[in-house]
Amino acid sequence: MLREGERVDELFRESMQIIQSSEVFSFSVDALLLANFTRFLKKDSSIIDLCSGNGIIPLLLSHRTGLPIRGLELQPEIVDMAERSIRMNHKEMQITMEQGDIRNIRKIHAHSTFDVITVNPPYFTNDQPIKNKGPHSIARHEIHIDLKGVVEAARFLIKNKGRLYMVHRAERSMEVASEMFNAGFRIRRLQYVYNDQSSETALFVLVEAIFNSQAYADVLPPLYIYDAAGNYTKEMLAVYYG
């Protein structure tokens, strides 16, 4: 089942395993944070994860809901990795991975299809150095699609009053808010993630936004990854281990 350079890592809270590769794709803590931040409502019936990578977020979400989940990823080799992880965890009946370019989202899915959209998009603009255009760079840099394009794809897919969940670099949080507002989303919840309490600047921002809503934003307390002793905080331990 494993290809050259691949390994199997544990998802402890979910009692699952996932195939990773340092040469192709490995998820980071931001994916765990996004999946943990995502909420489900009784009315929800459909979920899609954009820029899905090796399927980490669909796998994590499948532990918390029985709803069908789709993952959309551009790179075929990473889709293959995700599909093998899905089979390894016997989630074939719940999770479906698709290979496709979200710039062509209108050819992939119908308008207003999903109640919940999650996305961990490329973080870095193209004016920042790109060592190569391999799988890692495509996942991390806006080589194929930028933030505006991701939000526009979500706008096409989302149902009325549906919810978009995104994790992004904290320094781009105002840009995230602006693009969402311009696309008809309103931020409902927002949380900044810091390395520890001594950090002056946040690492990530977690956002829940509702489409076609006049909701006011709840700014949640900061989430710290490490405590003063360098150990995981109780919040992060819950993310990892439950």
Side-chain angles (χ1 to χ4, degrees):
M1 177 175 283
L2 294 181
R3 315 280 193 232
E4 184 177 355
E6 292 181 344
R7 67 182 188 274
V8 175
D9 287 346
E10 299 289 332
L11 302 175
F12 293 100
R13 183 175 72 171
E14 293 75 16
S15 299
M16 295 185 196
Q17 295 180 316
I18 187 167
I19 299 171
Q20 304 235 81
S21 170
S22 57
E23 299 174 4
V24 180
F25 187 92
S26 297
F27 72 84
S28 300
V29 66
D30 49 0
L32 301 175
L33 292 167
L34 177 60
N36 188 71
F37 187 74
T38 301
R39 299 191 294 183
F40 302 107
L41 305 178
K42 288 183 178 180
K43 70 178 183 66
D44 295 337
S45 62
S46 50
I47 305 166
I48 190 168
D49 179 51
L50 304 177
C51 306
S52 200
N54 65 345
I56 175 60
I57 292 174
L59 283 170
L60 294 171
L61 295 182
S62 74
H63 177 70
R64 298 176 47 216
T65 179
L67 294 174
I69 304 170
R70 288 187 173 273
L72 181 63
E73 166 58 36
L74 174 66
Q75 303 182 76
E77 65 268 41
I78 302 180
V79 173
D80 172 71
M81 187 186 300
E83 289 176 335
R84 286 182 283 125
S85 289
I86 291 166
R87 291 194 297 270
M88 185 168 59
N89 290 286
H90 309 292
K91 292 287 185 176
E92 305 98 312
M93 299 300 294
Q94 183 181 11
I95 303 173
T96 302
M97 285 296 300
E98 301 172 304
Q99 189 278 319
D101 190 334
I102 61 175
R103 294 176 297 184
N104 302 321
I105 198 64
R106 287 165 174 79
K107 297 180 181 179
I108 301 173
H109 285 289
H111 183 254
S112 302
T113 304
F114 296 95
D115 297 293
V116 175
I117 298 175
T118 57
V119 61
N120 184 354
Y123 286 159
F124 302 109
T125 59
N126 289 328
D127 58 0
Q128 295 169 291
I130 302 174
K131 293 182 179 180
N132 60 69
K133 292 191 177 181
H136 275 294
S137 293
I138 290 171
R140 292 173 59 83
H141 292 262
E142 295 179 342
I143 296 170
H144 285 278
I145 194 163
D146 59 11
L147 176 60
K148 181 178 180 180
V150 169
V151 174
E152 287 178 346
R155 185 189 189 282
F156 177 80
L157 292 174
I158 200 74
K159 292 180 181 179
N160 189 44
K161 308 299 183 184
R163 303 180 314 287
L164 170 62
Y165 295 90
M166 180 182 291
V167 61
H168 216 296
R169 296 286 295 183
E171 62 263 30
R172 296 189 68 184
S173 57
M174 295 303 101
E175 185 182 353
V176 169
S178 176
E179 293 295 352
M180 288 185 174
F181 185 88
N182 292 338
F185 291 93
R186 296 294 182 274
I187 292 177
R188 181 65 185 86
R189 291 190 304 144
L190 181 146
Q191 186 174 37
Y192 285 98
V193 180
Y194 292 79
N195 188 62
D196 56 44
Q197 290 193 13
S198 69
S199 302
E200 294 184 357
T201 57
L203 296 173
F204 306 110
V205 62
L206 296 161
V207 176
E208 175 192 76
I210 304 175
F211 181 62
N212 196 20
S213 168
Q214 298 302 316
Y216 290 100
D218 288 336
V219 180
L220 304 181
L223 190 156
Y224 299 102
I225 297 175
Y226 298 103
D227 61 21
N231 302 313
Y232 285 128
T233 60
K234 63 179 182 180
E235 291 82 7
M236 279 307 303
L237 287 173
V239 170
Y240 276 110
Y241 301 105

